[in-house]
Amino acid sequence: SFDLGEFSGAVFRGTGRRVLELDFVLEVVEEELPTPLPLPRARELYGAPLRIVPTPSGAVWIWRGFALESAGGEARIIIRFAVD
């Protein structure tokens, strides 16, 4: 748990999962995929990402409401976040 001025929140960690809660709202849920998802297959399933952000180990492919973190041409982590 933490307090930052007017904001409070918590980070929860479990096996293969991390959750960020701010002011009692789940803002981000990061979870390891049970099996890696090839990026071409992700594009087939979800369409073109809104943005691709390079990272030192691969990239983060961003769609509305979720993102996939990749390494070696495969998505390994799904990141779900609150959408306005």
Side-chain angles (χ1 to χ4, degrees):
S1 295
F2 59 87
D3 288 307
L4 296 171
E6 296 180 21
F7 296 101
S8 64
V11 175
F12 304 96
R13 294 183 181 155
T15 305
R17 184 176 297 145
R18 289 184 284 186
V19 177
L20 172 64
E21 171 262 314
L22 295 175
D23 291 329
F24 306 102
V25 176
L26 294 181
E27 294 289 343
V28 178
V29 176
E30 182 180 287
E31 187 171 18
E32 293 176 14
L33 294 172
T35 58
L37 176 64
L39 293 175
R41 180 69 179 134
R43 190 181 286 269
E44 287 175 19
L45 291 170
Y46 308 119
L50 299 173
R51 196 161 155 203
I52 299 174
V53 179
T55 66
S57 62
V60 175
W61 289 37
I62 303 168
W63 287 267
R64 183 167 170 76
F66 76 100
L68 295 172
E69 187 175 321
S70 68
E74 297 179 319
R76 298 170 187 269
I77 295 173
I78 186 165
I79 305 161
R80 295 177 181 93
F81 39 89
V83 178
D84 298 348

